[in-house]
Amino acid sequence: MPILKNEIKCLPPLPPLSKSSTVLHTFNSTILTPVSNNSSGFLRNLLNSSTGKTENGLKNTPKILDDIFASLVQNKTSSDISKRPQGLTIKPSILGFDTPHYWLCDNRLLCLQDPNNKSNWNVFRECWKQGQPVMVSGVHHKLNTELWKPESFRKEFGGQEVDLVNCRTNEIITGATVGDFWDGFEDVPNRLKSDKEPMVLKLKDWPPGEDFRDMMPSRFDDLMANIPLPEYTRRDGKLNLASRLPNYFVRPDLGPKMYNAYGLITPEDRKYGTTNLHLDVSDAANVMVYVGIPKGQCDQEEEVLKTIQDGDSDELTIKRFIEGKEKPGALWHIYAAKDTEKIREFLKKVSEEQGQENPADHDPIHDQSWYLDRSLRKRLHQEYGVQGWAIVQFLGDVVFIPAGAPHQVHNLYSCIKVAEDFVSPEHVKHCFWLTQEFRYLSQTHTNHEDKLQVKNVIYHAVKDAVAMLKASESGLGKP
C-alpha cells in the first residue's frame, strides 16, 4: 500500500468515502451490472449471469463474452460527447516549467524534449486521452549508439537468410541474406539491383516474431532502460494494461519489433510508402535509433527537403532540418481513429474510380494497399474534412501512435526504427473494436486473429481494479 500511495500522490484526491459501500455499489452498477452479491468470484458471476426470462418463462442463455466486453468499452453517444476543438486543450497548470516541450503541426502535436522527465506522463496523458499522437525527442543521447549501427547488425547477423521487400513494387525478394541488406544501407552502388537499377529495400519481419529479446538481449535492455513514458511503454508499466495478464497466459506479442529500410529520395518516389496506410490494434512507441545518409546519390539534401515540404510539414519541422542540422529519418502521416470510417469510404470511392473491386472480406486500410500521396491527402481533406498530422521523425525522436489511428510512413533516408507496443487505458476501446472488425476479414488475412488477447487483458484489468476497490473498502470499514 505505501507503494500505491506514492504512485497516485499526483492525482486529484478522491471524494471522502464516508459511505464506501455506496461508492462501490455505484461503481458496480454503472460498470459491472449485473453483479452477484457473493463476495467471492463476483466478476466471474457477471460473466455467467443470465439476462432474464424468455416468453416461455425459461432463462435466456448467459450473455456471451463479446456482449459483456462491449458493454465495458462502448462509446458514449454523440450527444454525451462535448465538441472538442481541433487543437489540444490543456490546463496551463499541467504544462509546468519542469516539463520541457514545444508544439508542432500548427500547435496540434505535443513534442516533449526531455525523455527522462518524471512529469512527462502527466502531460502526455492529457493529449493521449484526446486521441492525439505525441512525440518525444532526444532519446538517441541516452542510447548506446554502438549497439544500433548497421555495422554491428551486419557483423552479428549478416549470414542469416531473410526476405526483402522492394518498396517501389512491393515485390518480395527471397533467398537474400541480412548482410545483402546492410551492405547497401549506406552505399547505393552496393545495393541489390533490378533491371540494373538499385532497389529501395526493407527487411521483412526481421527479427521474426518474438525473437528480438532472445537474439539481441543487450539491445533489448538498452531500449527498455531508455524508452520514454515507462509507465505506459514498459512491460510492467502501471498504465500498460497488458501487464495485468497473469503469468500463466501466453504473453501477447508486443515487441519490440524492428523496421529497417532504405530511403525513398527521388521525386518519383514520393508516391510510394515504406509502410502503406494501416492501423494497429495496440498503441505503439516508435523509436528512431539510427539514420543513415547513403553515399552514391546526388542532391539528397535538396530532394529530402522537397519531400518534407510536399508532405505538408510545418515551418518548425523544416527549421529542425535546415537550421538545426538534425537528421530527418521518416515522414509520417497519422490520422485520428475517429476518422477511420471516412478514410475507408474515401479509399473505396477512389478504387471504384480506378475500376478496382472492393470484396466484402477485404479492407483498403487493413490490406495496407494504399499510400496517400499529396493529391490523395488533398482530396481527403477537401471531400471528407479529414486532416491528419504530418510528422517528420528525426534521429532520436519517438512517435507515439494511438491504437486504431490510421498511419503511413515514408523513409527519407535509410532508417533503423524499433517499436514497442502497449495497451493504454485511454484507447483500450479501440483495441476491442478492432479485434471485432478483424473477425470479418478473410481467413488468410494477417490480422484475422486476436493476437493481443484483448478480452483477457480487459477482464484481468477490471478484475484487479475491482479487487483494489474492495480491499480499500475493507480497510475504510475498520474502526
Side-chain angles (χ1 to χ4, degrees), residues 14 28 39 81 90 111 115 129 133 151 170 201 203 210 233 254 262 294 308 325 348 360 370 384 388 390 404 435 462:
L14 291 170
N28 286 337
S39 59
I81 301 174
I90 300 180
C111 182
K129 69 186 181 185
E151 294 80 7
N170 285 324
L201 300 172
L203 274 175
E210 299 181 51
T233 52
L254 295 175
Y262 303 163
I308 291 173
K325 302 299 181 183
K348 287 181 178 179
W370 289 89
Y384 288 82
T435 58
V462 172

Side-chain angles (χ1 to χ4, degrees), residues 148-404:
W148 303 103
K149 289 182 176 179
E151 294 80 7
S152 65
F153 292 108
R154 183 190 297 109
K155 182 178 179 181
E156 292 180 51
F157 311 107
Q160 291 184 5
E161 190 168 315
V162 72
D163 290 342
L164 303 173
V165 179
N166 185 335
C167 294
R168 291 181 177 128
T169 64
N170 285 324
E171 175 192 1
I172 296 177
I173 298 152
T174 58
T177 65
V178 171
D180 291 333
F181 173 82
W182 293 116
D183 286 343
F185 192 75
E186 294 177 291
D187 189 349
V188 175
N190 249 349
R191 291 179 177 176
L192 298 179
K193 296 177 176 61
S194 174
D195 296 330
K196 299 183 180 180
E197 282 293 319
M199 290 184 284
V200 177
L201 300 172
K202 65 178 176 181
L203 274 175
K204 187 177 188 298
D205 301 328
W206 186 85
E210 299 181 51
D211 291 350
F212 186 99
R213 185 175 190 172
D214 297 332
M215 280 178 59
M216 307 176 183
S218 57
R219 293 178 178 87
F220 175 85
D221 292 340
D222 188 43
L223 179 70
M224 289 295 106
N226 295 291
I227 194 167
L229 283 307
E231 299 86 355
Y232 284 92
T233 52
R234 289 185 185 168
R235 296 183 177 190
D236 59 351
K238 63 187 178 185
L239 293 175
N240 184 359
L241 297 188
S243 68
R244 299 289 110 196
L245 272 181
N247 292 331
Y248 54 80
F249 277 89
V250 176
R251 184 185 175 276
D253 181 14
L254 295 175
K257 300 180 182 70
M258 285 189 74
Y259 298 91
N260 309 290
Y262 303 163
L264 290 154
I265 294 176
T266 69
E268 295 77 18
D269 287 335
R270 289 177 195 143
K271 61 186 177 183
Y272 301 120
T274 306
T275 304
N276 285 346
L277 188 75
H278 69 289
L279 49 80
D280 295 315
V281 71
S282 56
D283 303 297
N286 187 293
V287 189
M288 182 69 73
V289 297
Y290 188 88
V291 176
I293 301 176
K295 58 185 180 182
Q297 194 154 352
C298 301
D299 303 321
Q300 291 184 82
E301 189 170 325
E302 182 181 344
E303 292 301 334
V304 166
L305 176 59
K306 288 179 180 177
T307 301
I308 291 173
Q309 293 170 330
D310 182 80
D312 307 316
S313 300
D314 65 359
E315 288 300 319
L316 280 178
T317 296
I318 294 171
K319 283 184 178 180
R320 288 184 72 186
F321 180 39
I322 297 176
E323 298 177 12
K325 302 299 181 183
E326 296 188 59
K327 282 186 176 180
L331 171 66
W332 293 66
H333 291 98
I334 304 177
Y335 296 90
K338 65 181 178 60
D339 290 327
T340 301
E341 194 53 42
K342 291 182 180 178
I343 297 172
R344 182 175 285 120
E345 289 178 15
F346 170 68
L347 292 177
K348 287 181 178 179
K349 175 182 174 182
V350 174
S351 65
E352 288 174 1
E353 291 172 359
Q354 296 178 358
Q356 301 175 20
E357 295 183 358
N358 290 308
D361 60 350
H362 286 262
D363 183 279
I365 298 177
H366 298 321
D367 292 350
Q368 299 189 34
S369 54
W370 289 89
Y371 180 79
L372 302 182
D373 61 13
R374 184 179 180 86
S375 62
L376 288 175
R377 294 195 304 271
K378 185 176 180 181
R379 280 191 61 183
L380 179 62
H381 190 202
Q382 290 176 341
E383 297 175 24
Y384 288 82
V386 174
Q387 180 185 18
W389 292 265
I391 302 171
V392 174
Q393 185 184 23
F394 290 81
L395 175 63
D397 285 350
V398 184
V399 178
F400 283 80
I401 310 102

